[in-house]
Amino acid sequence: MNDEVRTSKLDELRVVHRPLARHDQAEKIAGTTRYAGDLVLPHMLHARLVRAQVPSGRILRRDVSAARELPGVVDVLLGEDIPNNEIRVDVPGQTIEVQPLRASMQVLATDRVRFHGEPIALVVADSEDVLARACSLVEVEIEELPVVSDPAAALAEGAPLVHETGNLLAEWTIDRGDVDAALAEAAVVVEGEYRTQFVDHAYLEPEAGVGWIDDDGVLTLRVATQVVEHYRDVARILGLPEAKVRVIAPYVGGGFGGKEDMTVEPYIALAVWRTRRPVRMQWTRNESLLARPKRHRMTMRYRTAAAADGSLLAQDVEILADAGAYAYLSALVLLYATVHACGPYRVPNVKIRSRAAYTNNPPASAFRGFGGMQVVLGYESQMDALARRLGMDPGEVRKRNALVRGDRLPVGQELITEVQLPQTIDAVRERAGPKPQPSGPRRVVGRAIASNFQSYGRLVWLNDSAAAWVGFQADGSLTVRCGVPDIGGGQAFSLGQIAAEVLGVELERVTVHFGDSALTPLAGTTTATRQLLMSGNAVYEAATALRANLLAAVAAATGDPVESLTLEPGAVSGPTRRVPIEEVLAICRRGNVPVEALGTFFGPKGRPVTRELAGERIFPDFTFGTHLADVEVDLDTGQVRVLRYIAAHDVGRAINPKSVEGQISGGVVQGLGQALLEELVVRDGVNLTPGLFRYLMPTAADVPDIEAVVLESGEGVGPFGARGIGEPPIGPPIAVIPLAVADAIGVQITALPVTPERVLAAIASRRG
Amino acid sequence: MSEPMTMDITLTVNGRRVAATTGAHLSLLRWLREVAGVTDPKYGCGEGVCGACTVLIDGELASACLVLAAQVDGASITTAAGLCEPDGSLGALQRSFHEHHAAQCGFCTPGLLVCAHALLRDARGRLSRQEIREALHGNLCRCTGYQPIVDAIEDAQSRGVQG
Amino acid sequence: MFVTPFRYARARSFAEACELLRSEPAPAIPIAGGQSLLPMVNLGLVEPATVVDLGGVREARQIVAEDGYLRIGALARHADLERDELVRTRQPLLADAVRWIGSPRVRARGTVGGSIAHADPVAEIPLAMTVLGASYELRDGAQARTVGASDFHLGPFTTARAPEELVAEIRVPVLGPGWGWGFTEVSPRLGDFAIVAAAALVRVVDGRIVEARAGLSGVAGRPIRIGAVEVRVEGARAEDLEDRVGEPEGLEPIDDEVASAEYRRQLARVLLVRALRRAVERAGGSGR
């Protein structure tokens, strides 16, 4: 077995694998957690952005004099006031690998605006009350330019240019085997075109933060973020040394990728730096919907060839992604879509061409699933189409083609861990039993399954790393320091569990300090389902090193061999005697043995890819799963009700089973939102979704219980054999819902969301 | 343009009397957060849609962002923090939320707790899971998928917790 | 969030409120429950100079029955209608319609008069009032006039109310013997504004409709009654309704980001049938 692969046996685990209630939840439930927008500082100022009201135009004039004169206004900044007016999206996090993402935008636009909501001026005032009027007094004259709001149109000859460099932002290809020959010889070929929509993260906490200058002149930002390493970006914008900027991430009110790119950070920093006073910025929900990057909408064309027995012979895939007005992480999102495009199946001949285009729509960037989820709609719809054509069972077609350890993905990566995809298919079906009956006349019921795979951990050539510090206090309690932001998934708590497990400490005696770029070892982004893998392994390594120190010191003191010693709560036990932890620590101090350790975990390595992807490892590993849904369709109104939902994933080893179930039910419901309800509507570049009254995310009444089936192969590249589960559950819902509806009405809806209106139109098309 | 106007407003917040002279335009949400220093009701939308600012005004559910503090001068306000025991430990409903992992990011949690409290307080007879789900429809959560929240309320109900 | 400060004045009577609306710096805007006004203020769509609070007009929350009518004070809240015994027994269509409104929080504070004056084209109360043939008493100081619901609601957020006038009271005919009611709607999610809503009242004799009132919202700029359908369903039994309703006349649905005109038309037909069928069942027609 590959030496990266970790495993664990259940009977050896004491703290890990227990469904423990998290201490951070207790604070949140008591209402005492202080989120980014809750902090108030003396003499704090307030800041707000003036944003473009048109999607495309040339800025002719900006006049801030009237705003400056309004009583209460302290400062008004334009792009020219910024030392380096550029947000460059390299690859944020604990890596210095700068990628050619071509992702650059102005902090404040000076001459050109490219989307509705783009920031133009920053107003700072001594009261929130002044800001509405002050912003309206900033005069901005814009000559409107042609708008391009469709990615296909953007790539057509003569389209208005969003950027002078051209509208093609990124392109990836995979070419493996002979697709044309396979298509020609195949028993069946099925074709389909599928569309996904713009989706908003819609976390409950809109972007917010407070900044100040501390006693050592360090610009400090306490903001809702998934990435404390943005301190480097802020430093670059302000022309400061990196060490003079500090970012603290308190508990974050939801991230899902939406707080991966910077939001309020540069603006708070600028306002603080100019005024030398504490500043708070709180985006409204309207601003959040308007200006923070969305999930890419994609158009996916599939041609799938199979033999008569259902074996896949070829996939021919074209993907076009709408990247909106600025690049952000689009090139990487598109890469994920490309690598995941064939699903968890063995395909000998593959041709994939994917492109992302600039438009004057809101920018698109990271969102849970990160391009790997949109394609689930494509490849799973094709699998069902294939099953129908061949008269085969949908589960059998999937099982016949399921990847196994040692297989290579179309991109060339070899799978190094066990794949339990067939087990997830069996698990959801066994649990489901027979298909339910309709609840009344003019109603029909449908059932479908959808499988997926999703990477966990960052792209291997990014040279990802995470560091963590673990140390004993004099009273025998344990402190963990790790720069991980906790965005609600229990990231910090899981680290405490791992440290407690390795060091034989009661969990109640572990304190985790997290999310501070100055005081906790940098651990990288809480993104890409990487924290358990990276920071978990860093804590594991630090704790393991510390454990070795302690045992060696006790062995020297007692004369017991090291192998005979065990760490247990409150003591080290050996054949001679049981040494209480306080005494162990004293022995260490007398013997110059450190009672703390820094662990750094380095992710798997790989070479940077070129546009033509071939033969390379891309990701550390993948998580596999299958979902099953029963739906009922009202034939008169088109309304769809999800009757039953079962989701099975192999998570390798569940560090905290309750957190795993929470990630599954939460991810599924977010996916159901995209499947059935949500769409950020943009027309000709104008955002028509001003508030949550129009952005329709699921309520408790819209979804059924999500029955999570947690399979544990006991194998993965995370600590104790854990696999990441943050992102994987969001993909299957966007396929399983249209497929279940198709089972009910006999026609597949290929564009999301599956609205009642689309359902009625589909029923009508069947009649026609 | 007219002069802004201030008002003397007194509210009893979680049993504590708070009196202050503040802008007449302040929503109850801003008044609680900025004047009374009670930050568990959250700003999530300002439209009354998300439910993160749900409080009780004289025992009745309300979106604190859609009420002017001036409109309810003299009223008694309960937030999620007011559901704690006098010693600050978690109340019975809150304990059930904790045991069932009903909070992830926690931003929606205070509003949901207040909603759940009113639901159990007003319930006549045993509520089904579907009834609980429908009663929660005005409080959005983006992390949990709602399931552990429904579990927590159902469990609290079965243990006789009445709000 | 970013609200420019405004003045606040609390009125103890409608007369005082009207006076404040005239004397206070403009725009002076009345507030009752605030569930429609304050979202717009918070979104920056409305910038009042003064908010005139009607919450001190205590008597205006009463609901009384009188001469075959319910007299409902404009400040009665949605939750009052939902719970009030008089409303539930004398005009259950209204109690039924209110249950579709927003969340429990909106119903706890939102008022009947506020919903009527705000005149959202898909709001439940204006539709119910239109079908019920309710009338509104508008007051301006000592002056009062009465306007029927159909004449009051002119278009989206547009009514016959003058800026200083206030909706003071609503008169709703009580449900007569032999009548049944139905209210239904389709909205994206529970509690959202309807895409289309339908309300119906029928009088049934020997299982057949002898008199009907039926209306829709979401298919025009205001709630409308569908007179031709009301005529067509006379004599119908529950099982005939699908044929008799046919294609409802007078619809002017629009395409917008919520739904297409075509889908609204389809819903109009389906929901009218459902509301009428439910009304027939409740009137003791059949199909139970």
Side-chain angles (χ1 to χ4, degrees):
Chain A
M1 191 179 289
N2 186 302
D3 63 1
E4 284 171 41
V5 179
R6 293 172 191 259
T7 59
S8 61
K9 293 203 182 71
L10 281 179
D11 55 5
E12 292 169 355
L13 299 174
R14 186 178 53 83
V15 184
V16 160
H17 200 260
R18 280 175 51 199
L20 301 163
R22 283 154 44 186
H23 69 83
D24 64 292
Q25 294 177 333
E27 305 290 325
K28 288 166 177 173
I29 288 163
T32 51
T33 306
R34 210 174 286 277
Y35 293 85
D38 292 340
L39 190 68
V40 176
L41 293 176
H43 308 294
M44 183 171 81
L45 300 174
H46 301 264
R48 194 174 189 203
L49 288 163
V50 176
R51 297 175 178 280
Q53 298 302 307
V54 298
S56 176
R58 188 171 291 114
I59 300 174
L60 300 179
R61 193 175 66 88
R62 290 158 296 157
D63 185 347
V64 301
S65 53
R68 279 187 173 281
E69 280 162 27
L70 187 72
V73 172
V74 176
D75 204 353
V76 184
L77 282 84
L78 295 173
E80 288 80 355
D81 301 317
I82 303 172
N84 179 10
N85 185 21
E86 185 194 19
I87 296 174
R88 218 162 66 202
V89 183
D90 297 338
V91 177
Q94 183 54 5
T95 167
I96 53 167
E97 298 299 317
V98 175
Q99 289 302 313
L101 294 179
R102 294 170 57 193
S104 166
M105 62 188 292
Q106 291 190 303
V107 182
L108 294 172
T110 55
D111 52 357
R112 177 83 163 84
V113 293
R114 296 181 173 87
F115 75 96
H116 178 200
E118 184 164 357
I120 297 171
L122 175 65
V123 182
V124 191
D126 60 15
S127 158
E128 267 182 44
D129 292 341
V130 181
L131 285 171
R133 181 142 297 154
C135 288
S136 71
L137 289 175
V138 174
E139 293 174 35
V140 180
E141 196 182 325
I142 294 179
E143 176 196 11
E144 291 195 41
L145 294 173
V147 172
V148 57
S149 64
D150 174 74
L155 294 180
E157 195 76 27
L161 287 183
V162 181
H163 292 271
E164 289 65 25
T165 48
N167 290 342
L168 180 63
L169 187 162
E171 183 169 16
W172 301 102
T173 59
I174 293 179
D175 212 333
R176 187 174 167 208
D178 189 340
V179 167
D180 293 331
L183 285 165
E185 291 160 16
V188 286
V189 176
V190 290
E191 298 190 31
E193 180 176 310
Y194 310 94
R195 287 170 183 270
T196 65
Q197 72 278 43
F198 279 127
V199 182
D200 193 85
H201 308 74
Y203 29 64
L204 268 289
E205 177 196 39
E207 301 72 12
V210 175
W212 65 91
I213 296 173
D214 77 7
D215 296 340
D216 295 315
V218 173
L219 174 63
T220 305
L221 304 174
R222 188 179 184 274
V223 292
T225 181
Q226 298 175 236
V227 181
V228 294
E229 288 83 357
H230 280 312
Y231 75 89
R232 296 187 180 120
D233 301 299
V234 171
R236 189 162 59 198
I237 289 165
L238 284 172
L240 294 171
E242 289 187 357
K244 288 295 177 190
V245 181
R246 171 186 180 191
V247 172
I248 301 169
Y251 282 109
V252 176
F256 316 120
K259 291 165 183 166
E260 176 168 349
D261 297 294
M262 287 199 290
T263 60
V264 294
E265 293 94 327
Y267 307 107
I268 297 175
L270 283 164
V272 171
W273 204 242
R274 281 269 291 219
T275 63
R276 318 302 289 181
R277 285 172 65 179
V279 175
R280 178 163 77 187
M281 176 177 261
Q282 165 77 68
W283 283 6
T284 62
R285 177 61 66 180
N286 178 246
E287 289 180 279
S288 183
L289 288 165
L290 204 58
R292 199 237 319 109
K294 312 303 168 200
R295 186 191 294 291
H296 294 75
R297 57 175 183 169
M298 290 186 185
T299 303
M300 302 163 281
R301 284 195 196 90
Y302 274 80
R303 277 200 300 168
T304 306
D309 68 353
S311 305
L312 288 173
L313 298 176
Q315 285 281 21
D316 180 9
V317 186
E318 270 190 54
I319 298 171
L320 178 58
D322 187 342
Y326 289 98
Y328 283 97
L329 297 168
S330 285
L332 297 185
V333 172
L334 189 70
L335 173 63
Y336 272 61
T338 310
V339 173
H340 290 87
C342 292
Y345 307 114
R346 206 178 313 110
V347 193
N349 302 290
V350 174
K351 192 160 75 184
I352 304 174
R353 182 188 184 211
S354 58
R355 291 173 300 162
Y358 287 118
T359 62
N360 294 113
N361 292 327
S365 190
F367 194 149
R368 192 181 203 172
F370 205 83
M373 72 86 75
Q374 287 95 327
V375 292
V376 183
L377 174 64
Y379 62 70
E380 286 302 88
S381 297
Q382 292 291 103
M383 292 306 275
D384 264 24
L386 209 54
R388 269 195 306 276
R389 279 280 292 279
L390 290 167
M392 286 179 70
D393 172 75
E396 281 314 307
V397 173
R398 287 170 171 85
K399 281 189 198 174
R400 177 175 297 272
N401 294 287
L403 291 164
V404 298
R405 191 204 310 263
D407 276 346
R408 285 188 182 272
L409 300 178
V411 74
Q413 174 164 0
E414 184 185 335
L415 295 175
I416 57 171
T417 56
E418 188 183 345
V419 178
Q420 291 203 340
L421 187 72
Q423 290 90 326
T424 63
I425 293 172
D426 291 338
V428 295
R429 290 186 144 185
E430 277 162 23
R431 181 152 181 156
K435 192 156 98 177
Q437 293 300 309
S439 64
R442 307 282 305 147
R443 286 165 197 266
V444 289
V445 167
R447 166 176 289 181
I449 59 168
S451 302
N452 82 323
F453 78 139
Q454 174 89 37
S455 58
Y456 60 97
R458 298 189 94 179
L459 296 159
V460 290
W461 76 80
L462 294 179
N463 293 323
D464 199 10
S465 71
W469 182 98
V470 180
F472 279 99
Q473 302 289 355
D475 61 3
S477 64
L478 194 68
T479 295
V480 177
R481 295 193 174 93
C482 184
V484 42
D486 189 317
I487 62 173
Q491 284 87 2
F493 188 81
S494 296
L495 300 183
Q497 272 187 284
I498 291 166
E501 181 72 55
V502 175
L503 288 163
V505 177
E506 295 291 356
L507 191 61
E508 297 68 35
R509 304 201 74 201
V510 181
T511 301
V512 181
H513 298 287
F514 66 93
D516 184 331
S517 72
L519 301 181
T520 53
L522 293 179
T525 62
T526 299
T527 67
T529 312
R530 67 175 283 286
Q531 278 301 0
L532 188 60
L533 164 67
M534 298 299 299
S535 300
N537 270 327
V539 168
Y540 183 85
E541 294 196 354
T544 304
L546 181 52
R547 185 173 187 274
N549 285 357
L550 263 54
L551 295 184
V554 171
T558 62
D560 286 331
V562 168
E563 318 79 67
S564 69
L565 300 176
T566 54
L567 256 173
E568 56 189 49
V572 173
S573 275
T576 317
R577 67 186 191 93
R578 184 174 183 276
V579 187
I581 188 71
E582 290 81 358
E583 195 185 329
V584 173
L585 297 173
I587 291 170
C588 288
R589 273 191 293 275
R590 283 196 294 271
N592 290 354
V593 176
V595 294
E596 63 274 313
L598 182 70
T600 303
F601 178 75
F602 296 97
K605 297 274 187 279
R607 286 188 305 166
V609 291
T610 53
R611 207 181 78 178
E612 288 81 27
L613 301 165
E616 296 288 345
R617 183 178 187 185
I618 299 274
F619 294 109
D621 195 27
F622 300 85
T623 300
F624 295 80
T626 301
H627 296 191
L628 179 147
D630 289 333
V631 301
E632 182 175 79
V633 179
D634 181 323
L635 293 171
D636 292 323
T637 64
Q639 288 169 298
V640 176
R641 196 157 66 91
V642 184
L643 302 173
R644 181 121 192 246
Y645 202 100
I646 307 169
H649 291 271
D650 167 28
V651 302
R653 178 67 69 224
I655 302 296
N656 186 332
K658 277 289 186 186
S659 287
V660 168
E661 286 173 18
Q663 287 299 312
I664 292 175
S665 65
V668 166
V669 168
Q670 209 168 28
L672 287 175
Q674 177 166 0
L676 287 163
L677 288 162
E678 296 173 31
E679 178 163 17
L680 187 103
V681 180
V682 183
R683 199 163 292 158
D684 298 328
V686 176
N687 190 325
L688 297 180
T689 310
L692 288 188
F693 68 97
R694 269 295 142 69
Y695 192 76
L696 307 174
M697 60 175 132
T699 73
D702 297 311
V703 292
D705 284 336
I706 307 305
E707 301 170 47
V709 182
V710 178
L711 300 183
E712 297 187 86
S713 56
E715 202 180 298
V717 300
F720 303 99
R723 295 169 189 248
I725 192 63
E727 293 178 276
I730 202 172
I734 68 165
V736 79
I737 293 300
L739 294 178
V741 170
D743 183 50
I745 66 173
V747 192
Q748 188 182 342
I749 293 160
T750 54
L752 299 181
V754 180
T755 58
E757 178 161 358
R758 284 186 170 137
V759 173
L760 276 198
I763 294 168
S765 77
R766 182 190 58 183
R767 289 200 196 105
Chain B
M1 198 174 99
S2 62
E3 287 300 305
M5 179 177 156
T6 57
M7 279 188 70
D8 298 330
I9 295 170
T10 303
L11 294 169
T12 303
V13 184
N14 298 332
R16 178 170 65 98
R17 191 171 169 277
V18 183
T21 306
T22 58
H25 65 290
L26 285 192
S27 67
L28 176 61
L29 177 62
R30 281 187 65 191
W31 200 95
L32 288 170
R33 292 174 57 83
E34 296 170 23
V35 179
V38 175
T39 57
D40 59 294
K42 303 296 185 200
Y43 165 78
C45 69
E47 310 156 33
V49 171
C50 76
C53 68
T54 303
V55 299
L56 298 178
I57 301 174
D58 291 329
E60 279 191 302
L61 286 171
S63 306
C65 72
L66 295 192
V67 181
L68 299 177
Q71 284 180 286
V72 295
D73 185 19
S76 178
I77 311 295
T78 305
T79 75
L83 303 179
C84 289
E85 303 292 343
D87 68 356
S89 63
L90 297 183
L93 177 63
Q94 291 169 314
R95 284 199 303 276
S96 190
F97 265 58
H98 190 212
E99 286 157 20
H100 288 276
H101 285 230
Q104 281 189 29
C105 89
F107 205 77
C108 70
T109 309
L112 266 156
L113 275 165
V114 172
C115 181
H117 163 80
L119 176 65
L120 292 181
R121 181 196 63 189
D122 300 340
R124 283 168 298 194
R126 195 183 160 76
L127 299 163
S128 69
R129 282 183 79 81
Q130 190 55 31
E131 285 170 324
I132 293 171
R133 284 185 173 277
E134 284 172 15
L136 299 180
H137 81 84
N139 287 74
L140 298 173
C141 168
R142 194 63 158 166
C143 295
T144 64
Y146 300 104
Q147 187 142 327
I149 297 166
V150 178
D151 291 343
I153 296 169
E154 197 178 35
D155 190 25
Q157 173 179 250
S158 67
R159 284 185 288 164
V161 177
Q162 294 173 336
Chain C
M1 279 303 284
F2 299 97
V3 174
T4 301
F6 48 75
R7 295 172 58 78
Y8 170 89
R10 192 174 174 85
R12 276 149 303 184
S13 67
F14 283 118
E16 189 189 0
C18 296
E19 197 180 302
L20 286 166
L21 289 173
R22 284 205 165 80
S23 63
E24 281 287 321
I29 302 176
I31 188 171
Q35 303 301 291
S36 302
L37 175 63
L38 291 178
M40 295 194 294
V41 169
N42 289 342
L43 276 169
L45 302 175
V46 175
E47 288 197 16
T50 311
V51 164
V52 175
D53 186 2
L54 307 178
V57 189
R58 297 260 174 228
E59 74 280 6
R61 201 174 159 177
Q62 287 174 357
I63 301 170
V64 295
E66 196 179 278
D67 302 334
Y69 288 90
L70 288 178
R71 286 176 43 201
I72 300 170
L75 272 83
R77 299 178 180 188
H78 304 323
D80 295 342
L81 266 56
E82 209 178 342
R83 289 185 287 233
D84 187 274
E85 206 48 38
L86 275 178
V87 177
R88 290 158 67 106
T89 54
R90 306 287 178 88
Q91 193 38 274
L93 173 65
L94 204 48
D96 213 21
V98 164
R99 276 191 276 274
W100 294 86
I101 299 174
S103 65
R105 298 189 304 277
V106 172
R107 295 198 294 275
R109 296 204 67 81
T111 66
V112 181
S115 176
I116 287 168
H118 182 60
D120 189 298
V122 289
E124 286 80 2
I125 285 181
L127 170 62
M129 295 300 178
T130 300
V131 170
L132 287 166
S135 59
Y136 308 150
E137 185 187 284
L138 305 181
R139 286 210 207 138
D140 182 359
Q143 313 226 317
R145 63 178 177 129
T146 299
V147 181
S150 321
D151 298 324
F152 181 84
H153 296 288
L154 303 177
F157 309 102
T158 310
T159 70
R161 184 180 74 89
E164 292 82 18
E165 270 184 326
L166 292 166
V167 177
E169 190 178 277
I170 299 96
R171 279 162 58 95
V172 181
V174 300
L175 192 74
W179 287 78
W181 77 96
F183 191 101
T184 189
E185 68 180 47
V186 167
S187 58
R189 299 171 301 181
L190 186 63
D192 283 330
F193 275 109
I195 299 171
V196 172
L201 283 171
V202 296
R203 188 159 68 86
V204 173
V205 175
D206 295 336
R208 289 181 187 277
I209 295 173
V210 294
E211 206 175 336
R213 302 171 68 92
L216 292 164
S217 68
V219 291
R222 60 193 188 119
I224 51 170
R225 279 177 62 185
I226 314 293
V229 168
E230 292 176 353
V231 172
R232 272 206 300 277
V233 299
E234 278 178 28
R237 296 174 186 277
E239 56 270 29
D240 310 329
L241 283 169
E242 191 138 2
D243 291 337
R244 296 288 191 93
V245 167
E247 293 293 330
E249 290 81 354
L251 311 190
E252 298 165 351
I254 54 162
D255 281 309
D256 65 11
E257 59 273 22
V258 177
S260 70
E262 176 53 25
Y263 184 57
R264 290 177 199 276
R265 278 183 194 283
Q266 290 169 318
L267 285 185
R269 192 166 54 233
V270 170
L271 296 181
L272 261 185
V273 172
R274 287 185 182 179
L276 283 161
R277 191 178 289 148
R278 193 83 184 92
V280 171
E281 286 168 17
R282 284 184 168 126
S286 75
R288 269 194 272 194

